[in-house]
């Protein structure tokens, strides 16, 4: 199958590209820079020049493939509303290009967007209409127009070597402030998944998924925030302590509201329907690996 991948050189997208190529698919990666071009060529993928801002490039790319995996998102938390609008426009453009065909459009979302009806967020939960990211609303619109859409909701912590998201941000904060903190009693839980397990899930959705379905990329249903802080404190040799909700904003900055969430999630339905079985290390085991504490990860601004 010939597949266009947006975000093809990103943390998750690059793993998807390798997973698809290794399985015999032909990949066309959306790329806007020479570095991205070179990486895609070295990986054995084709290059489609464009970006999320260039809607014509998305239309032309979708017109010449058998399926699209939309893995790109600009995680700019200082301007999240603009990033969410850009994502929604890209989804609508891709959906229009694929409408009326059976060609799959796989949209990336997150388990944090789900509005849980029980103790765990499940695939059957509807999206929270107040959440600022609009991926699922845009997906519903294009599905109603005749596009073959399915959703992959990723855990908020997608981890592995090369991670530049929440976990490295927590490590950087602990390194700079000399304390590894959690909020309240630290029992709030984060779902997590290894990037290579997530990539395998995208391939299964491409090959076996159903139109209109939601799938959860979750391996650890809920890792307690205190456990995360304890590993970071031990590896950095700094004290571990609680911060009150009032102190959290000053200590954690933009990540504070996310790190305070208690949003465990399940992937039981996904595993049953697709036969997906996460096999990579869980978040705590992976976090305890050397690469999370290399100097480059500790000192880099991960916003």
């Amino acid at each position: 199958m010939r597949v266009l991948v947006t975000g093809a050189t990103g943390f998750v997208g690059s793993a998807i590209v390798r997973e698809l190529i290794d399985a015999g698919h032909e990949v066309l990666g959306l790329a806007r820079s020479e570095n991205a071009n070179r990486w895609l060529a070295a990986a054995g993928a084709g290059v489609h020049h464009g970006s999320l801002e260039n809607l014509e490039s998305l239309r032309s790319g979708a017109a010449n493939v058998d399926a699209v995996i939309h893995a790109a998102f600009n995680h700019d938390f200082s301007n999240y509303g603009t990033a969410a609008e850009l994502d929604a426009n890209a989804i609508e453009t891709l959906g229009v290009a694929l409408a009326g065909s059976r060609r799959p459009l796989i949209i990336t979302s997150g388990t944090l967007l789900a509005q849980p009806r029980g103790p765990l967020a499940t695939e059957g939960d509807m999206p929270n209409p107040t959440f600022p990211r609009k991926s699922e609303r845009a997906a519903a619109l294009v599905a109603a127009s005749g596009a073959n859409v399915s959703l992959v909701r990723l855990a908020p912590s997608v981890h592995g070597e090369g991670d530049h998201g929440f976990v490295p941000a927590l490590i950087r904060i602990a390194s700079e402030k000399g304390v590894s903190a959690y909020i309240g009693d630290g029992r709030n839980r984060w779902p997590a998944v290894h990037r290579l397990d997530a990539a395998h899930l995208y391939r299964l959705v491409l090959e076996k998924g159903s139109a209109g379905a939601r799938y959860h990329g979750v391996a650890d249903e809920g890792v307690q925030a205190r456990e995360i802080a304890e590993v970071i404190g031990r590896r950095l040799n700094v004290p571990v302590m609680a911060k009150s909700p009032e102190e959290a904003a000053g200590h954690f900055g933009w990540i504070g509201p996310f790190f305070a969430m208690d949003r465990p999630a399940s992937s039981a339905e996904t595993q049953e329907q697709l036969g997906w079985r996460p096999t990579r290390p869980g978040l705590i085991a992976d976090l305890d690996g050397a690469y999370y504490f290399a100097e480059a990860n500790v000192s880099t601004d991960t916003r």
Side-chain angles (χ1 to χ4, degrees), residues 30-61:
L30 185 70
R32 63 187 302 169
S33 70
E34 285 304 315
N35 285 340
N37 294 350
R38 285 192 289 270
W39 186 90
L40 288 166
V47 175
H48 180 70
H49 298 283
S51 67
L52 296 188
E53 296 89 347
N54 185 343
L55 300 183
E56 181 53 40
S57 70
L58 298 180
R59 278 189 285 266
S60 62

Side-chain angles (χ1 to χ4, degrees), residues 273-295:
Q273 292 171 17
L274 298 180
W276 178 61
R277 299 291 182 268
T279 60
R280 304 289 175 167
L283 176 59
I284 293 300
D286 202 25
L287 176 57
D288 216 2
Y291 55 78
Y292 266 110
F293 295 90
E295 182 63 26

Side-chain angles (χ1 to χ4, degrees), residues 244-267:
S244 69
E246 294 73 24
E247 295 172 314
H251 183 84
F252 290 105
W254 66 266
I255 199 175
F258 294 96
F259 197 43
M261 289 181 175
D262 182 41
R263 294 296 300 275
S266 168
S267 62

Side-chain angles (χ1 to χ4, degrees), residues 8 11 34 59 74 83 141 146 172 180 227-228 232 244 249 259 293:
F11 178 59
E34 285 304 315
R59 278 189 285 266
N74 180 12
L141 287 174
R172 175 179 55 79
S180 180
E227 290 184 76
I228 298 170
I232 293 173
S244 69
F259 197 43
F293 295 90

Side-chain angles (χ1 to χ4, degrees), residues 24-133:
H25 295 285
E26 182 183 354
V27 175
L28 193 63
L30 185 70
R32 63 187 302 169
S33 70
E34 285 304 315
N35 285 340
N37 294 350
R38 285 192 289 270
W39 186 90
L40 288 166
V47 175
H48 180 70
H49 298 283
S51 67
L52 296 188
E53 296 89 347
N54 185 343
L55 300 183
E56 181 53 40
S57 70
L58 298 180
R59 278 189 285 266
S60 62
N64 294 299
V65 293
D66 302 308
V68 175
I69 295 177
H70 177 50
F73 189 84
N74 180 12
H75 290 90
D76 180 0
F77 290 91
S78 66
N79 196 13
Y80 199 79
T82 298
E85 196 66 37
L86 180 67
D87 178 57
N89 290 339
I91 291 169
E92 291 168 10
T93 299
L94 292 167
V96 169
L98 297 173
S101 74
R102 297 304 302 161
R103 293 178 292 159
L105 171 58
I106 301 171
I107 302 298
T108 301
S109 181
T111 61
L112 290 182
L113 273 71
Q115 195 166 36
R117 296 166 295 176
L120 295 172
T122 70
E123 295 86 342
D125 291 329
M126 298 298 291
N128 184 340
T130 67
F131 199 92
R133 184 166 174 172

